[in-house]
Amino acid sequence: GQQLNQSPQSMFIQEGEDVSMNCTSSSIFNTWLWYKQDPGEGPVLLIALYKAGELTSNGRLTAQFGITRKDSFLNISASIPSDVGIYFCAGMNYGGSQGNLIFGKGTKLSVKP
Amino acid sequence: GAGVSQSPSNKVTEKGKDVELRCDPISGHTALYWYRQSLGQGLEFLIYFQGNSAPDKSGLPSDRFSAERTGGSVSTLTIQRTQQEDSAVYLCASSLTGGNGYTFGSGTRLTVV
């Protein structure tokens, strides 16, 4: 079945730095979603992308739907401490298997010691 | 309600006992997912309900797991004869049509002792 490769698995951030993470797939998706999960909570939707090539921003977050429909990236500019958490990408094909929603394994953001 | 509600938030059970986890989706949402998340891991798909269609049960790990959705609203995930490896956070998510981003509940943390 479809699988998503999300990288990096983890990264340390220093306040003010820009952060980038991405997801790739062996097959195409019609929609890409990016979620953030804080400890003890469910994932919260950050950005949804519906069209190949689409570039969408939500505050300091910017995400793009790759032109090949097989990849997406998320950038966080000028990171702040509350950005720490786990970020998940998800690809969706309406009517596909697994109820059409496939998640990456997550990128864990931590503060640099 | 305003969001996806899951109960209980925490459940400790003895090995071999049955447990029921409940999910109240957002009113009017036709699509509902159950996921399992082990400590520090990604989201493992369990089951997907979409309207009146037959559910996609392809993610259920064994026949000890079952789920139902009554009246197209509330869903219950049942785990029979619980094992220690069932310990995880069980997350529920719902969506208006299945073609949009999903809203997650805060999860039920299940501990089997």
Side-chain angles (χ1 to χ4, degrees):
Chain A
Q2 288 180 308
Q3 291 189 343
L4 292 184
N5 295 311
Q6 185 172 351
S7 65
Q9 287 186 330
S10 63
M11 58 193 309
F12 290 91
I13 59 173
Q14 194 153 35
E15 188 169 353
E17 285 182 341
D18 295 345
V19 171
S20 185
M21 62 193 78
N22 70 84
C23 272
T24 59
S25 170
S26 57
S27 51
I28 63 174
F29 287 106
N30 294 329
T31 299
W32 283 94
L33 306 170
W34 284 92
Y35 285 85
K36 183 195 177 197
Q37 186 177 28
D38 291 324
E41 299 294 328
V44 173
L45 182 66
L46 299 174
I47 292 179
L49 303 158
Y50 299 107
K51 189 176 173 183
E54 180 181 353
L55 185 71
T56 297
S57 293
N58 178 7
R60 293 177 297 105
L61 277 60
T62 301
Q64 184 158 32
F65 191 143
I67 197 72
T68 65
R69 296 168 63 191
K70 293 183 180 181
D71 63 309
S72 177
F73 72 75
L74 175 70
N75 286 341
I76 306 172
S77 63
S79 59
I80 59 177
S82 61
D83 289 335
V84 300
I86 303 177
Y87 292 78
F88 293 100
C89 64
M92 186 158 67
N93 281 325
Y94 192 72
S97 64
Q98 291 199 7
N100 75 27
L101 189 62
I102 312 293
F103 277 88
K105 294 192 183 301
T107 295
K108 183 176 182 180
L109 252 59
S110 305
V111 175
K112 235 178 231 181
Chain B
V4 177
S5 178
Q6 291 188 245
S7 60
S9 55
N10 281 284
K11 176 72 177 179
V12 180
T13 190
E14 290 182 353
K15 179 181 172 181
K17 301 277 190 184
D18 298 351
V19 294
E20 284 190 353
L21 312 180
R22 177 186 168 105
C23 173
D24 282 273
I26 293 173
S27 179
H29 279 195
T30 62
L32 187 148
Y33 278 94
W34 283 98
Y35 286 90
R36 179 168 70 176
Q37 186 176 32
S38 300
L39 186 63
Q41 301 299 311
L43 283 78
E44 176 189 3
F45 166 77
L46 296 178
I47 190 168
Y48 169 66
F49 296 90
Q50 172 59 285
N52 295 321
S53 302
D56 178 352
K57 304 180 182 180
S58 60
L60 295 178
S62 76
D63 58 8
R64 295 186 296 106
F65 288 73
S66 63
E68 61 178 24
R69 189 177 185 193
T70 54
S73 181
V74 172
S75 178
T76 302
L77 177 68
T78 301
I79 309 173
Q80 296 177 307
R81 306 181 301 282
T82 51
Q83 304 293 314
Q84 287 185 326
E85 63 263 28
D86 299 334
S87 297
V89 175
Y90 289 82
L91 289 160
C92 174
S94 72
S95 173
L96 184 60
T97 63
N100 304 96
Y102 285 75
T103 302
F104 280 83
S106 296
T108 294
R109 181 175 296 278
L110 175 67
T111 304
V112 182
V113 297

